[in-house]
C-alpha cells in the first residue's frame, strides 16, 4: 500500500510541474507570461495551432491531477483509518469489557446477598443516603419577622 501511495505521489508531483509549465507556455490574449518564452517559440516547436494543442493538453493534465488527488485522498484515509491509536484503544476496551464465559451475568436489580459461608467484607458504619435527614431550613436574613 505504501509503495502505491509513493508511486502515485511521484506521478502527482510530475503532473503538477508539467501542468505549471504548460500553463505558462500558453499565449494569453494580454501577452503576459507567455511572452517570456518568446512569442513565436511555441509556434515553431508545436506548429501554428499551438493554442489548441496546449489547451487540450492542459485539460488532460487537469483531469489527471484531480483524479490523482481523489485517489490519493482515499488511499491516505484508508491507511490512517486502520492504524489509529483511538481505534486500537477502543478495541482493547471492548475486549477487556466483555465478561468471561465462566462468570455468571450480574443482575443490577438483585439484592447484594453474600453466599452462605462467605466472609462479610467492607461493611460501612456510615449511614446510607436514604437514612440521612435534611437540616431544618434557616430563615433568610432578608425576611423580616411580622409584628
Amino acid at each position: 500500500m505504501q509503495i502505491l501511495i509513493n508511486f502515485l505521489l511521484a506521478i502527482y508531483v510530475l503532473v503538477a510541474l508539467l501542468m505549471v509549465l504548460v500553463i505558462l507556455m500558453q499565449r494569453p490574449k494580454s501577452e503576459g507570461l507567455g511572452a517570456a518564452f518568446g512569442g513565436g517559440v511555441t509556434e515553431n516547436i508545436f506548429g501554428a495551432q499551438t493554442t489548441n494543442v496546449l489547451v487540450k493538453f492542459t485539460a488532460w493534465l487537469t483531469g489527471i491531477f484531480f483524479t490523482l488527488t481523489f485517489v490519493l485522498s482515499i488511499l491516505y484515509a484508508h491507511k490512517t483509518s486502520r492504524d489509529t491509536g483511538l481505534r486500537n484503544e477502543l478495541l482493547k476496551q471492548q475486549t477487556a469489557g466483555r465478561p468471561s464465559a465462566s462468570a455468571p451475568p450480574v443482575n443490577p436489580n438483585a439484592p447484594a446477598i453474600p453466599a452462605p459461608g462467605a466472609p462479610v467484607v467492607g461493611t460501612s458504619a456510615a449511614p446510607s443516603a436514604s437514612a440521612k435527614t435534611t437540616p431544618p431550613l434557616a430563615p433568610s436574613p432578608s425576611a423580616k419577622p411580622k409584628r
Side-chain angles (χ1 to χ4, degrees):
M1 171 86 83
Q2 187 63 32
I3 295 172
L4 178 65
I5 290 174
N6 288 339
F7 177 71
L8 289 177
L9 197 58
I11 292 174
Y12 184 74
V13 170
L14 289 175
V15 167
L17 292 174
L18 191 59
M19 192 166 55
V20 167
L21 181 67
V22 169
I23 289 172
L24 288 176
M25 283 175 52
Q26 289 181 12
R27 191 173 200 175
K29 292 179 179 158
S30 64
E31 294 295 328
L33 286 176
F37 291 107
V41 174
T42 55
E43 289 181 7
N44 289 336
I45 295 173
F46 296 112
Q49 297 294 327
T50 306
T51 55
N52 291 339
V53 172
L54 291 178
V55 167
K56 288 181 182 179
F57 196 53
T58 304
W60 276 100
L61 286 174
T62 305
I64 293 169
F65 182 81
F66 283 117
T67 304
L68 283 173
T69 302
F70 183 69
V71 170
L72 282 171
S73 68
I74 291 173
L75 289 175
Y76 273 116
H78 181 67
K79 175 187 166 193
T80 57
S81 70
R82 285 188 300 150
D83 301 332
T84 60
L86 177 62
R87 184 168 188 250
N88 292 337
E89 286 296 321
L90 289 174
L91 288 175
K92 285 179 188 176
Q93 288 178 359
Q94 187 178 24
T95 56
R98 289 186 181 164
S100 63
S102 63
V106 177
N107 185 0
N109 297 330
I113 301 173
V120 179
V121 179
T123 57
S124 174
S128 65
S130 61
K132 290 183 181 176
T133 59
T134 57
L137 296 174
S140 63
S142 64
K144 295 182 181 177
K146 293 183 181 179
R147 293 186 185 207

